Amino acid sequence: YGNTGLRFLGGAPIGCINLSGIPNKMPNMTIAIACDHAGLGLKTVLVEELKNREFEVIDLGTNSSDSVDYPDFGYAMAEAIGDGRAERGVLVCGSGIGISIAANRHPAVRAALIHDALGAKMARQHNDANVICFGGRMIGEDVANDCLSIFLDTPFEGGRHARRVGKLSNPA
Protein backbone atom coordinates (compact mmCIF):
# COMPACT_ATOMS: atom_id res chain seq x y z
CA TYR A 1 0.00 0.00 0.00
CA GLY A 2 1.88 3.04 -1.22
CA ASN A 3 5.26 3.37 0.43
CA THR A 4 4.07 2.32 3.90
CA GLY A 5 5.50 -1.18 3.56
CA LEU A 6 2.15 -2.71 4.51
CA ARG A 7 0.77 -5.76 2.72
CA PHE A 8 -2.94 -6.36 2.61
CA LEU A 9 -4.84 -9.60 3.17
CA GLY A 10 -8.54 -9.59 2.40
CA GLY A 11 -8.69 -5.81 2.76
CA ALA A 12 -6.89 -5.77 6.13
CA PRO A 13 -3.25 -4.76 6.54
CA ILE A 14 -0.93 -7.55 7.67
CA GLY A 15 1.40 -6.83 10.57
CA CYS A 16 -0.46 -3.86 12.03
CA ILE A 17 -1.98 -3.55 15.47
CA ASN A 18 -5.79 -3.82 15.72
CA LEU A 19 -6.31 -5.21 12.24
CA SER A 20 -9.99 -5.82 12.78
CA GLY A 21 -10.91 -2.26 13.75
CA ILE A 22 -14.22 -2.57 15.55
CA PRO A 23 -14.37 -5.83 17.48
CA ASN A 24 -16.51 -8.36 15.63
CA LYS A 25 -17.12 -11.19 18.06
CA MET A 26 -19.80 -13.69 18.78
CA PRO A 27 -22.05 -12.41 21.60
CA ASN A 28 -20.92 -13.76 24.96
CA MET A 29 -18.19 -15.92 23.43
CA THR A 30 -16.13 -17.65 26.08
CA ILE A 31 -12.43 -18.20 25.48
CA ALA A 32 -10.38 -20.69 27.52
CA ILE A 33 -6.69 -19.87 27.79
CA ALA A 34 -3.79 -21.80 29.28
CA CYS A 35 -0.01 -21.92 29.16
CA ASP A 36 3.05 -23.46 30.69
CA HIS A 37 5.77 -21.47 32.47
CA ALA A 38 7.43 -20.48 29.17
CA GLY A 39 4.19 -19.00 27.86
CA LEU A 40 3.17 -17.06 30.96
CA GLY A 41 4.34 -13.64 29.75
CA LEU A 42 2.50 -13.85 26.43
CA LYS A 43 -0.58 -15.41 28.04
CA THR A 44 -0.82 -12.42 30.39
CA VAL A 45 -0.79 -10.03 27.41
CA LEU A 46 -3.40 -12.09 25.53
CA VAL A 47 -5.74 -12.29 28.55
CA GLU A 48 -5.64 -8.50 28.79
CA GLU A 49 -6.48 -8.20 25.08
CA LEU A 50 -9.39 -10.64 25.40
CA LYS A 51 -10.80 -8.79 28.39
CA ASN A 52 -10.41 -5.44 26.59
CA ARG A 53 -12.54 -6.91 23.80
CA GLU A 54 -15.10 -8.01 26.41
CA PHE A 55 -14.78 -11.75 25.91
CA GLU A 56 -15.53 -14.06 28.81
CA VAL A 57 -12.17 -15.58 29.75
CA ILE A 58 -11.53 -18.86 31.54
CA ASP A 59 -7.89 -18.71 32.67
CA LEU A 60 -6.71 -22.27 33.28
CA GLY A 61 -3.18 -21.31 34.33
CA THR A 62 -0.38 -21.55 34.87
CA ASN A 63 0.00 -18.33 36.78
CA SER A 64 3.55 -18.86 37.95
CA SER A 65 7.00 -19.03 36.38
CA ASP A 66 7.63 -22.33 38.20
CA SER A 67 8.31 -25.18 35.77
CA VAL A 68 5.18 -27.16 34.83
CA ASP A 69 4.27 -29.74 32.20
CA TYR A 70 2.60 -28.28 29.10
CA PRO A 71 0.43 -31.37 28.39
CA ASP A 72 -1.50 -30.80 31.63
CA PHE A 73 -2.51 -27.31 30.48
CA GLY A 74 -3.20 -28.35 26.89
CA TYR A 75 -5.49 -31.11 28.17
CA ALA A 76 -7.27 -28.75 30.59
CA MET A 77 -8.04 -26.27 27.81
CA ALA A 78 -9.15 -29.13 25.50
CA GLU A 79 -11.57 -30.32 28.17
CA ALA A 80 -13.05 -26.80 28.41
CA ILE A 81 -13.73 -26.92 24.66
CA GLY A 82 -14.98 -30.51 24.80
CA ASP A 83 -17.42 -29.99 27.66
CA GLY A 84 -18.78 -26.75 26.23
CA ARG A 85 -17.45 -24.29 28.81
CA ALA A 86 -15.61 -22.44 26.01
CA GLU A 87 -16.19 -21.94 22.29
CA ARG A 88 -12.57 -21.14 21.47
CA GLY A 89 -9.21 -21.62 23.11
CA VAL A 90 -5.76 -20.07 23.28
CA LEU A 91 -2.62 -21.98 24.27
CA VAL A 92 0.97 -20.84 24.77
CA CYS A 93 4.14 -22.77 25.55
CA GLY A 94 7.75 -22.04 24.68
CA SER A 95 7.55 -23.11 21.03
CA GLY A 96 3.79 -23.73 20.77
CA ILE A 97 4.49 -27.19 19.39
CA GLY A 98 4.11 -29.39 22.45
CA ILE A 99 0.97 -27.76 23.79
CA SER A 100 -0.69 -27.88 20.35
CA ILE A 101 0.08 -31.60 20.08
CA ALA A 102 -1.43 -32.17 23.52
CA ALA A 103 -4.61 -30.24 22.71
CA ASN A 104 -5.09 -31.94 19.35
CA ARG A 105 -5.35 -35.33 21.06
CA HIS A 106 -8.90 -34.32 22.08
CA PRO A 107 -11.48 -35.02 19.33
CA ALA A 108 -13.31 -31.71 19.87
CA VAL A 109 -10.16 -29.65 19.33
CA ARG A 110 -8.74 -28.32 16.08
CA ALA A 111 -5.66 -26.48 17.34
CA ALA A 112 -3.42 -24.52 14.97
CA LEU A 113 0.08 -23.30 15.77
CA ILE A 114 0.17 -19.78 14.35
CA HIS A 115 3.08 -17.47 13.52
CA ASP A 116 1.48 -14.82 11.29
CA ALA A 117 -1.74 -13.16 10.15
CA LEU A 118 -2.24 -15.34 7.08
CA GLY A 119 -1.95 -18.49 9.15
CA ALA A 120 -4.52 -17.17 11.63
CA LYS A 121 -6.96 -16.34 8.84
CA MET A 122 -6.52 -19.64 6.99
CA ALA A 123 -6.80 -21.68 10.19
CA ARG A 124 -10.31 -20.30 10.66
CA GLN A 125 -11.45 -20.03 7.04
CA HIS A 126 -10.32 -23.43 5.80
CA ASN A 127 -9.78 -25.56 8.91
CA ASP A 128 -12.40 -24.21 11.33
CA ALA A 129 -9.69 -24.18 14.00
CA ASN A 130 -11.17 -23.56 17.43
CA VAL A 131 -7.87 -23.21 19.29
CA ILE A 132 -4.96 -20.92 18.45
CA CYS A 133 -1.50 -21.83 19.75
CA PHE A 134 1.54 -19.61 20.09
CA GLY A 135 5.18 -20.08 20.99
CA GLY A 136 5.92 -17.58 23.74
CA ARG A 137 9.60 -17.65 22.74
CA MET A 138 8.80 -17.49 19.01
CA ILE A 139 6.39 -14.60 18.43
CA GLY A 140 6.19 -10.98 19.55
CA GLU A 141 3.30 -9.64 21.60
CA ASP A 142 1.97 -7.31 18.89
CA VAL A 143 1.98 -10.01 16.21
CA ALA A 144 0.34 -12.47 18.62
CA ASN A 145 -2.39 -9.94 19.46
CA ASP A 146 -2.99 -9.29 15.74
CA CYS A 147 -3.17 -13.02 15.04
CA LEU A 148 -5.57 -13.54 17.94
CA SER A 149 -7.89 -10.79 16.65
CA ILE A 150 -7.89 -12.23 13.15
CA PHE A 151 -8.50 -15.73 14.50
CA LEU A 152 -11.47 -14.59 16.58
CA ASP A 153 -12.99 -12.39 13.86
CA THR A 154 -12.65 -14.75 10.88
CA PRO A 155 -15.56 -17.07 10.09
CA PHE A 156 -15.25 -20.61 8.74
CA GLU A 157 -15.99 -20.67 5.00
CA GLY A 158 -17.61 -24.10 5.07
CA GLY A 159 -18.36 -25.34 1.55
CA ARG A 160 -15.68 -27.66 0.23
CA HIS A 161 -13.80 -27.33 3.53
CA ALA A 162 -16.66 -28.68 5.68
CA ARG A 163 -16.25 -32.27 4.45
CA ARG A 164 -12.53 -32.20 5.15
CA VAL A 165 -12.94 -30.67 8.59
CA GLY A 166 -15.56 -33.30 9.43
CA LYS A 167 -12.98 -35.99 8.79
CA LEU A 168 -10.66 -34.50 11.41
CA SER A 169 -12.91 -35.64 14.27
CA ASN A 170 -14.00 -38.87 12.55
CA PRO A 171 -10.98 -40.59 11.00
CA ALA A 172 -12.13 -43.60 9.04
Side-chain angles (χ1 to χ4, degrees), residues 3 44 46 77 108-109:
N3 291 327
T44 302
L46 297 174
M77 193 286 317
V109 171

Side-chain angles (χ1 to χ4, degrees), residues 46-57 59:
L46 297 174
V47 165
E48 183 178 330
E49 177 68 15
L50 291 167
K51 289 181 177 180
N52 286 342
R53 290 191 55 188
E54 300 180 359
F55 286 101
E56 297 292 324
V57 177
D59 187 341

Side-chain angles (χ1 to χ4, degrees), residues 15-73:
C16 297
I17 299 172
N18 297 323
L19 291 180
S20 60
I22 299 170
N24 175 23
K25 68 178 186 80
M26 291 173 39
N28 303 316
M29 188 191 298
T30 301
I31 312 294
I33 189 166
C35 69
D36 71 356
H37 56 283
L40 180 60
L42 182 56
K43 184 195 82 162
T44 302
V45 169
L46 297 174
V47 165
E48 183 178 330
E49 177 68 15
L50 291 167
K51 289 181 177 180
N52 286 342
R53 290 191 55 188
E54 300 180 359
F55 286 101
E56 297 292 324
V57 177
I58 301 172
D59 187 341
L60 299 168
T62 189
N63 294 304
S64 165
S65 60
D66 295 340
S67 182
V68 295
D69 298 330
Y70 60 80
D72 298 335
F73 295 91

Side-chain angles (χ1 to χ4, degrees), residues 87-138:
E87 289 83 18
R88 302 264 178 88
V90 180
L91 291 171
V92 188
C93 72
S95 67
I97 298 167
I99 206 161
S100 65
I101 292 170
N104 274 321
R105 296 184 62 81
H106 194 289
V109 171
R110 291 175 306 281
L113 176 56
I114 299 300
H115 298 99
D116 57 37
L118 180 59
K121 184 172 182 169
M122 299 306 289
R124 285 291 307 133
Q125 281 185 334
H126 290 195
N127 304 111
D128 197 22
N130 56 2
V131 176
I132 189 169
C133 303
F134 296 111
R137 296 175 178 146
M138 312 295 279

